[in-house]
Amino acid sequence: LGLEDYNLSVIGDYTYNLGQHSVKLVSVEDENHYQIVFFNNYSEINNEYGSDDYPEADRLDYSGWEGVGEHSFITLLNIDTENMTLEVENTAELEWSMYRGSARAYQGNYIASSTGSGQLVELDSDFNVVLEFAMISSGVYSCNKFEIYDERED
């Protein structure tokens, strides 16, 4: 088997991934069907780096691509390894972050940070914005949300 035997075919419309910064497993239906949510910074700068072994590998010219370097995305994908397909369940446009960003599921909602711009958002299950914050500093690496409560009876 070659590497091309492991490539997933895209079903429907899909924004090409120009550098994900975080990928999180959301759910597993069975060993061949699962969902992931990821932060796609959609930055052509990701194409400027190569490895020592393959310094010129996988270089594309993104200069004519619409929206490159203008927005980042949080995307929920359905993965089917039995049929070797991926399909976008939902996606939302975020402020652009050249390098850092994160995405994760939280109690049926989704949390995303486009930390290069200082944007933090919570999206509902349909990817509508529920909460949005702006960070004073854009140095945050990733974000989470936790429920804090006290079970003690006073």
Side-chain angles (χ1 to χ4, degrees):
L1 291 175
L3 186 57
E4 64 277 353
D5 295 316
Y6 295 98
N7 290 336
L8 300 172
S9 298
V10 176
I11 297 173
D13 192 24
Y14 177 66
T15 300
Y16 187 75
N17 178 21
L18 295 180
Q20 93 289 337
H21 196 263
S22 72
V23 176
K24 300 291 181 186
L25 182 66
V26 175
S27 66
V28 177
E29 185 178 320
D30 58 46
E31 66 182 27
N32 293 311
H33 301 89
Y34 55 95
Q35 282 188 321
I36 60 171
V37 63
F38 73 94
F39 176 85
N40 176 1
N41 58 0
Y42 205 53
S43 176
E44 73 280 358
I45 199 164
N46 291 295
N47 196 45
E48 295 178 9
Y49 303 101
S51 71
D52 292 338
D53 294 330
Y54 304 99
E56 297 302 319
D58 298 321
R59 300 298 173 98
L60 298 173
D61 179 9
Y62 301 112
S63 58
W65 289 36
E66 183 179 340
V68 171
E70 295 176 13
H71 301 283
S72 296
F73 299 90
I74 176 175
T75 304
L76 181 64
L77 292 176
N78 295 320
I79 308 294
D80 179 346
T81 57
E82 185 174 32
N83 296 305
M84 296 304 289
T85 60
L86 67 82
E87 184 174 16
V88 174
E89 176 80 17
N90 221 327
T91 191
E93 198 173 86
L94 303 170
E95 293 177 14
W96 184 65
S97 179
M98 183 184 300
Y99 298 112
R100 293 182 304 260
S102 65
R104 60 196 75 245
Y106 174 77
Q107 295 185 350
N109 286 358
Y110 299 91
I111 310 298
S113 64
S114 190
T115 55
S117 66
Q119 181 186 34
L120 295 171
V121 296
E122 180 175 357
L123 306 167
D124 65 16
S125 59
D126 293 322
F127 273 47
N128 299 305
V129 175
V130 175
L131 294 170
E132 184 170 5
F133 300 95
M135 294 181 283
I136 294 172
S137 169
S138 61
V140 175
Y141 192 77
S142 65
C143 66
N144 290 292
K145 182 176 180 178
F146 301 95
E147 187 172 316
I148 300 173
Y149 59 92
D150 188 350
E151 293 183 10
R152 294 178 296 169
E153 290 185 30
D154 294 311

